[in-house]
């Protein structure tokens, strides 16, 4: 079972990313029957970010984060989207079958149009084709590797549906199961982590708790800013209405969670509750932080891992794309295939023909026939066959050197070196004689060229 997911490299991972995506994905990659492909979607990042330095920094931080979180590059094929040239190739193949109407319905694009309309702008104002094509690039990410399952957040489910749709269309069009139909995998148990203000933790709400950035100090400071209600120490608190409790539960086991719920109910102060949360988070994250720091200090080691990952990923994608190119009629112009193809037979041109015979008077003669079998010339009579043969040989090589002239008003005579070799009967008119003259000349040329 191939599990594949991409991580857009447009930010610095926060605690919500860890709990919602990184931790479950790393755990899933450890199952014996799972062949995991995890990659950094840096082409997708270009849709949002044009700052090269931010793209690079994010890529490094995200790679270091996943590795620190326990991703084993020996088991998982871990790579960078932009190291796989087959992905943009497949993107174009899929673009050519993607219906524009389907892309019009993509949530991200629709939301951008909606915002424009609300601000009385033109529907597509400021919207790039990159945003519009986002789902097709994502489909290529998935379909290039025959992924069966794609763990994603709910906001991405529509994209997986589109990838399925494109896969189906392609398979149908080419009458072959080129692509595996992928399925979205949504981990029901994985809670979306609330942020400092209780809404979903998200960079766009500016309510995140950092994962590794800024070290333990930054995490602690953020936890201290979690919004709580105004209940004082000693008052009973409703754990389930508290973002702080939800975050705690994301790190704690059942017994710890039950104990924490009870403590809040029994009047634990919010200040102490925050200290408990910091301690619980740190128990998990402290060892990861060290690994993270080590990777961040050694970008070369990360690069090696990613290059090896790209090699493994391409071992899957390269033959796949080659097969697609064949199916699409895009094989190279001068491959062995083309030269090996049986040559299309040219229409066979029969050459003009000379035929010898012995006449009733005992003399040796020959006739010249056109390729079509029309008689063009009758030779003079030769006393012996050798002379007739010699005349034929000279005729074969004469070409333009043979003088063909009208011998009478409407007949033709052919001379070689001043000697009459053959003639035609009279034609009914000048036009047919001239036609015969042209035919005779071209037959002589063909004979000469063929020799
Ligand atoms: N669009 C995904 C996100 O923002 C990232 C992504 C890119 C992805 N390509 C993918 C996820 C392929 C799964 C499969 O979360």
């Amino acid at each position: 079972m191939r599990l594949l997911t991409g991580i857009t490299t447009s930010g610095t991972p926060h605690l919500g990313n860890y709990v919602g995506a990184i931790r479950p994905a790393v755990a899933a990659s450890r199952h014996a029957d799972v062949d995991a492909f995890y990659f950094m979607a840096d082409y997708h990042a270009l849709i949002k970010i044009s700052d090269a330095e931010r793209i690079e920094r994010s890529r490094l931080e995200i790679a270091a984060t996943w590795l620190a979180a326990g991703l084993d590059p020996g088991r998982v094929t871990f790579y960078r989207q932009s190291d796989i040239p087959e992905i943009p190739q497949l993107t174009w193949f899929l673009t050519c079958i993607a219906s524009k109407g389907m892309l019009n319905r993509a949530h991200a694009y629709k939301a951008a149009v909606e915002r424009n309309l609300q601000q009385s702008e033109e529907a597509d104002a400021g919207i790039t084709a990159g945003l519009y094509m986002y789902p097709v690039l994502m489909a290529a990410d998935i379909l290039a590797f025959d992924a069966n399952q794609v763990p994603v957040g709910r906001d991405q489910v529509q994209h997986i549906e589109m990838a399925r749709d494109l896969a189906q269309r392609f398979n149908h069009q080419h009458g072959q199961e080129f692509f595996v139909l992928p399925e979205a995998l949504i981990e029901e148990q994985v809670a979306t982590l609330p942020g400092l203000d209780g809404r979903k933790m998200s960079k766009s709400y500016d309510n995140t708790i950092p994962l590794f950035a800024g070290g333990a100090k930054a995490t602690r400071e953020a936890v201290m800013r979690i919004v709580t209600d105004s209940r004082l120490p000693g008052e009973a608190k409703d754990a389930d209405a508290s973002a702080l409790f939800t975050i705690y539960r994301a790190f704690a086991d059942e017994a710890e969670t039950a104990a924490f719920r009870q403590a809040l109910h029994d009047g634990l102060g919010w200040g102490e509750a925050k200290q408990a949360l910091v301690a619980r988070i740190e128990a998990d994250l402290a060892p990861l932080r060290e690994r993270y720091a080590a990777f961040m200090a050694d970008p070369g080691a990360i690069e090696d891992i990613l290059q090896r990952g790209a090699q493994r990923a391409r071992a899957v994608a390269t033959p796949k794309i080659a097969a697609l190119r064949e199916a699409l009629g895009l094989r190279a112009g001068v491959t062995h295939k083309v030269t090996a193809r049986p040559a299309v037979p040219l229409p066979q041109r029969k050459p003009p023909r000379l035929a010898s015979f012995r006449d009733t008077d005992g003399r040796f003669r020959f006739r010249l026939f056109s390729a079509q079998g029309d008689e063009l010339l009758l030779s003079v009579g030769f006393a012996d066959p050798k002379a007739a043969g010699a005349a034929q040989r000279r005729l074969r090589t004469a070409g333009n050197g043979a003088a063909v002239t009208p011998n009478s008003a409407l007949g033709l005579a052919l001379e070689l070196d001043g000697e009459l070799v053959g003639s035609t009967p009279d034609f009914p008119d000048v036009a047919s004689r001239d036609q015969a003259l042209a035919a005779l000349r071209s037959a002589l040329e063909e004979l000469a060229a063929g020799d």
Side-chain angles (χ1 to χ4, degrees):
M1 204 270 289
R2 183 159 293 153
L3 200 65
L4 175 145
T5 198
I7 310 117
T8 306
T9 55
S10 56
T12 301
H14 54 66
L15 211 60
N17 301 136
Y18 176 72
V19 169
I22 303 169
R23 195 175 60 185
V26 169
S29 75
R30 297 220 172 95
H31 287 292
D33 56 347
V34 163
D35 180 16
F37 275 51
Y38 295 163
F39 69 97
M40 285 185 286
D42 50 355
Y43 281 152
H44 277 102
L46 292 183
I47 293 166
K48 290 191 221 164
I49 302 178
S50 55
D51 176 347
E53 211 201 304
R54 264 183 73 196
I55 296 266
E56 280 198 16
R57 186 168 10 98
S58 171
R59 221 161 56 169
L60 179 64
E61 285 172 350
I62 288 176
T65 298
W66 282 71
L67 292 166
L71 182 145
D72 173 2
R75 291 187 70 94
V76 178
T77 302
F78 186 49
Y79 57 99
R80 196 161 39 196
Q81 185 184 33
S82 62
D83 283 334
I84 314 294
E86 288 80 7
I87 291 175
Q89 286 186 46
L90 180 54
T91 300
W92 182 249
F93 302 161
L94 297 175
T95 299
C96 293
I97 56 162
S99 90
K100 187 166 173 287
M102 178 186 84
L103 297 176
N104 287 341
R105 291 189 291 275
H107 298 322
Y109 171 69
K110 261 172 61 180
V113 168
E114 209 60 35
R115 270 195 302 278
N116 277 336
L117 295 179
Q118 267 165 22
Q119 294 164 9
S120 317
E121 298 270 9
E122 285 215 24
D124 282 329
I127 298 178
T128 64
L131 177 71
Y132 192 68
M133 298 299 299
Y134 186 111
V136 183
L137 176 58
M138 185 160 157
D141 289 336
I142 298 167
L143 301 181
F145 302 99
D146 295 329
N148 309 98
Q149 300 219 307
V150 186
V152 283
R154 279 180 204 289
D155 58 325
Q156 298 290 319
V157 171
Q158 189 196 30
H159 293 149
I160 312 303
E161 297 296 327
M162 290 182 176
R164 267 181 88 84
D165 181 276
L166 291 171
Q168 255 158 343
R169 256 175 214 245
F170 195 99
N171 288 350
H172 179 72
Q173 225 169 66
H174 295 276
Q176 216 178 317
E177 298 302 300
F178 278 107
F179 293 124
V180 169
L181 304 186
E183 276 172 23
L185 186 70
I186 300 167
E187 289 242 26
E188 298 293 346
Q189 306 96 308
V190 171
T192 31
L193 210 61
L196 300 179
D197 57 1
R199 291 185 292 172
K200 176 185 179 212
M201 188 181 290
S202 161
K203 197 177 66 175
S204 49
Y205 294 148
D206 195 21
N207 66 354
T208 62
I209 298 174
L211 179 56
F212 298 134
K217 182 163 170 280
T219 303
R220 163 182 296 275
E221 283 170 2
V223 167
M224 293 306 152
R225 285 188 285 120
I226 294 174
V227 175
T228 57
D229 65 27
S230 54
R231 278 170 221 200
L232 299 171
E235 285 186 68
K237 298 173 183 66
D238 179 4
D240 293 313
S242 152
L244 193 153
F245 176 75
T246 307
I247 298 171
Y248 184 94
R249 193 171 55 187
F251 287 87
D253 63 24
E254 266 183 51
E256 288 171 310
T257 302
F260 196 54
R261 179 194 294 280
Q262 190 60 49
L264 287 169
H265 182 76
D266 293 345
L268 182 72
W270 286 123
E272 279 181 81
K274 285 179 176 177
Q275 299 295 350
L277 175 56
V278 167
R280 189 63 199 78
I281 292 173
E282 279 312 301
D284 273 21
L285 291 193
L288 277 55
R289 271 189 216 293
E290 275 179 40
R291 290 210 292 268
Y292 178 77
F295 276 117
M296 287 300 281
D298 191 0
I302 293 181
E303 189 61 30
D304 283 351
I305 288 169
L306 293 176
Q307 288 310 319
R308 263 177 278 143
Q311 254 175 31
R312 268 157 52 189
R314 291 194 70 196
V316 176
T318 305
K320 183 148 195 85
I321 298 301
L324 295 177
R325 296 183 73 91
E326 290 270 321
L328 291 166
L330 294 178
R331 56 171 82 109
V334 281
T335 60
H336 51 286
K337 286 247 152 107
V338 172
T339 44
R341 204 161 56 187
V344 178
L346 288 171
Q348 278 296 331
R349 270 198 70 95
K350 279 183 282 166
R353 184 168 60 86
L354 288 161
S356 312
F357 66 99
R358 194 162 184 195
D359 212 345
T360 44
D361 59 3
R363 299 173 85 83
F364 297 89
R365 294 179 192 267
F366 56 87
R367 290 191 173 97
L368 174 62
F369 293 94
S370 75
Q372 289 76 33
D374 301 324
E375 182 179 325
L376 299 175
L377 188 81
L378 173 67
S379 76
V380 296
F382 295 90
D384 78 297
K386 279 189 190 149
Q392 285 183 47
R393 280 193 295 279
R394 274 156 66 211
L395 196 64
R396 280 187 178 284
T397 54
N400 276 332
V404 184
T405 50
N407 67 342
S408 61
L410 291 171
L412 295 171
L414 184 138
E415 287 175 14
L416 284 171
D417 308 326
E419 192 188 322
L420 182 68
V421 171
S423 61
T424 68
D426 283 353
F427 293 92
D429 51 36
V430 176
S432 37
R433 187 204 59 195
D434 287 350
Q435 228 180 337
L437 178 64
L440 182 55
R441 283 196 169 134
S442 87
L444 291 170
E445 269 171 46
E446 266 189 75
L447 271 185
D451 254 39

